[in-house]
Amino acid sequence: MTRERSLLLDHLEAERNHVLAAVDGLDDANLTRTMAPSGWSIAQLLNHLTYDDEIFWGHAIVGGDEEAIGLIQDGWKAPVTSGDEAVELYRHWSRRADAVLAEVDLDAPPRWWPSEEVFPFPPFADARQCLFRLLLETATHAGHLDMAREGIDGHQHLVVN
């Protein structure tokens, strides 16, 4: 594994762990209640990270995975059956994405790109850009989860000790 890939995957793992730490120990009521004026719950945000980031970027676009392509949907609107299920689904697809990201040629173009009706943006030039997008999305939403968690019980995630 190249130093660059190792560094990117280490940062992605740290941000995923940050996401999971922000939701650790929360009961279903707190995972599924509305946390923002726009109406999202923590479980919905986890679904967004799962469907719109891990499945979309990590599996469908970078990996060309047919199963993932078939699962593409608006993660914000994906049904939430329970908070625990949302956490487990996120863990499952994150672990699966690790295998894809560890092997993909970062200089190669994405293996698949959605139609303009699904994603009206030009294709990224290479898998590296997709990995950066996944990392950026994960880090951004880890911060949102920090704010939600602090509102629940005052817990604060310290990024630098």
Side-chain angles (χ1 to χ4, degrees), residues 43-57 59-61 65-81 85 89 93 112 114 117-119 137:
Q44 286 172 305
L45 192 145
L46 288 169
N47 276 352
H48 166 66
L49 284 168
T50 299
Y51 288 100
D52 302 328
D53 297 314
E54 297 294 342
I55 291 173
F56 186 75
W57 291 107
H59 292 279
I61 291 181
D65 180 304
E66 291 296 325
E67 178 187 5
I69 292 167
L71 291 172
I72 290 175
Q73 61 182 296
D74 182 343
W76 290 109
K77 295 179 182 173
V80 173
T81 56
E85 184 178 294
L89 197 62
W93 284 98
W112 178 81
E117 294 81 41
V118 173
F119 193 70
E137 284 281 323

Side-chain angles (χ1 to χ4, degrees), residues 22-35 40-43 144-156:
V23 303
D24 185 47
L26 293 177
D27 62 17
D28 200 61
N30 282 310
L31 289 168
T32 58
R33 74 178 167 112
T34 300
M35 296 304 300
W40 59 260
S41 69
I42 290 172
H144 294 138
L145 289 168
D146 282 343
M147 292 299 296
R149 180 63 184 258
E150 187 174 352
I152 292 169
D153 62 10
H155 177 270
Q156 294 180 347

Side-chain angles (χ1 to χ4, degrees), residues 4-15:
E4 175 194 27
R5 181 189 313 271
S6 179
L7 182 63
L8 288 170
L9 293 179
D10 286 350
H11 280 285
L12 180 57
E13 179 182 7
E15 292 306 326

Side-chain angles (χ1 to χ4, degrees), residues 16 20-21 29 37 39 47 50 61 66 75 81 83 85 89 92 100 103-104 113 125-126 130 134 141 146 149 154 156:
R16 286 174 176 157
L20 293 169
N47 276 352
T50 299
I61 291 181
E66 291 296 325
T81 56
E85 184 178 294
L89 197 62
H92 169 77
V100 173
E103 298 297 326
V104 70
W113 197 262
D126 55 40
C130 299
L134 176 57
H141 292 306
D146 282 343
R149 180 63 184 258
Q156 294 180 347

Side-chain angles (χ1 to χ4, degrees), residues 127-144:
R128 180 181 289 100
Q129 286 181 295
C130 299
L131 176 52
F132 276 127
R133 179 62 185 228
L134 176 57
L135 177 57
L136 174 66
E137 284 281 323
T138 306
T140 297
H141 292 306
H144 294 138

